Amino acid sequence: MSTLAQQIVNGLVLGALIGLIALGYTMVYGIIQLINFAHGEVFMVGAFGAHFTWRYLLPEGTPWYVGLPLMCLAAVAVAVAAGIAMERLAYRPLRGAHKLAPLITALGVSILLQEVVRVFYPGATAPLAFPRAFVEGHLTLGPVMILWTGVLALAVAPLLAAALHLYVERSRLGRAMRATAQDPDTARLMGINPDRVILATFVIGAALAGAGAVLYGVHYTQIDTAIGFQNGIFAFTAAVLGGIGNIRGAMLGAMCIGLVKSLAGQYAWGGAAYDYVWVFVLLILVLMFRPQGFLGRPERVRA
């Protein structure tokens, strides 16, 4: 039972981190029906932005309560810059094109960002150690041990998701986002600028990915150019599981994926070598019996 409880906690921590990436996927798709496969690389460049800040800009011996906020600011700034450039240069010119065009462009942008970091960032051809910029040690709850970095992730990720949900539901920009998602042409007639709304969506999603990158780095203590693709696939799957376009569904789907990956790695056939398989088995089963996802709404198409 102690092993089971420990794996559940590990899965929840992973799910919380994946959820911050999944929010960006689900927001962008909800507004412009674009599957932004390059969003995982926004997460990745945010992690390298934080790493650069700690390694090259902060003096040695900087305490974590100074270094961690500065690393978060740097990660968010780099991720937002990447998100803005992506939207303005890659996606906006293709706004009226066939849906396959921005999808293929997203794959190209993903590869481009990976290669830029791999080629130009010092030492990025191999995994890099991420600074342990938080409290060392762990919290013990009976037979379960939770690293303080895991506690941080479990506290911050749901809080950011709840704040985003409230912002989208109650703010003026949130209403504009929902109006643009429902009918961009009518929203434009009502005085809403869809281009600004879409750009704001990319900015918010990128900021959450940047924050998630720092939490990921301090918890797993290692980053490389592949973390964006690996976790981006999980995040996209989480968004689909929860009901793509639904913020609460994205976090719920991410938690489910974290639990399945952790528990399957411990108990399922094949162990950790096949944990990806069980994640996608879950996805297939959900799509078979509830295609709209856990919290999504079925789409009604009128003839």
Side-chain angles (χ1 to χ4, degrees):
M1 290 301 293
S2 61
T3 302
L4 174 62
Q6 185 66 58
Q7 291 301 325
I8 289 174
V9 169
N10 294 342
L12 291 175
V13 171
L14 176 61
L17 297 172
I18 292 172
L20 290 177
I21 313 173
L23 292 174
Y25 274 105
T26 203
M27 287 180 65
V28 169
Y29 184 86
I31 299 293
I32 57 175
Q33 283 72 56
L34 167 66
I35 301 173
N36 181 17
F37 281 121
H39 187 65
E41 274 55 52
V42 173
F43 167 83
M44 182 268 294
V45 298
F48 277 89
H51 185 273
F52 180 88
T53 301
W54 182 273
R55 184 172 179 179
Y56 296 105
L57 300 182
L58 297 178
E60 188 175 352
T62 300
W64 70 265
Y65 50 83
V66 175
L68 185 62
L70 292 177
M71 289 167 64
C72 284
L73 288 175
V76 168
V78 171
V80 167
I84 291 174
M86 189 185 302
E87 195 277 332
R88 294 298 297 269
L89 301 177
Y91 299 143
R92 186 174 295 190
L94 299 174
R95 193 69 52 76
H98 190 276
K99 288 186 177 181
L100 278 179
L103 181 62
I104 295 171
T105 301
L107 294 173
V109 172
S110 172
I111 296 171
L112 173 66
L113 289 175
Q114 285 188 48
E115 290 303 303
V116 166
V117 174
R118 186 183 65 83
V119 172
F120 293 105
Y121 193 89
T125 53
L128 295 174
F130 200 86
R132 298 177 180 271
F134 195 59
V135 178
E136 296 284 349
H138 58 268
L139 173 68
T140 301
L141 298 174
V144 178
M145 182 193 74
I146 314 174
L147 295 174
W148 286 114
T149 52
V151 175
L152 179 67
L154 288 173
V156 172
L159 182 64
L160 289 176
L164 175 64
H165 177 72
L166 289 175
Y167 184 77
V168 171
E169 289 294 322
R170 300 185 181 182
S171 71
R172 183 175 181 179
L173 178 60
R175 290 193 293 271
M177 287 178 178
R178 287 182 280 126
T180 303
Q182 185 174 1
D183 191 332
D185 294 328
T186 302
R188 186 179 285 108
L189 293 174
M190 300 300 292
I192 296 171
N193 186 332
D195 287 337
R196 291 182 180 177
V197 171
I198 293 168
L199 182 60
T201 303
F202 273 84
V203 167
I204 294 172
L208 291 170
V214 177
L215 296 175
Y216 179 94
V218 297
H219 184 68
Y220 292 107
T221 68
Q222 184 174 284
I223 60 171
D224 57 49
T225 55
I227 62 171
F229 177 78
Q230 294 167 353
N231 291 288
I233 291 294
F234 285 141
F236 172 66
T237 306
V240 174
L241 279 178
I244 195 160
N246 188 296
I247 292 174
R248 291 177 296 172
M251 286 301 296
L252 176 61
M255 291 297 182
C256 290
I257 285 179
L259 288 171
V260 169
K261 187 175 185 301
S262 181
L263 293 173
Q266 182 68 35
Y267 297 107
W269 175 80
Y274 287 84
D275 53 6
Y276 280 61
V277 173
W278 298 111
V279 168
F280 289 103
V281 166
L282 172 64
L283 175 64
I284 292 169
L285 290 175
V286 171
L287 292 179
M288 286 175 59
F289 297 103
R290 190 172 173 81
Q292 69 270 29
F294 294 138
L295 301 182
R297 296 179 181 177
E299 294 185 4
R300 294 180 174 85
V301 179
R302 295 182 179 180

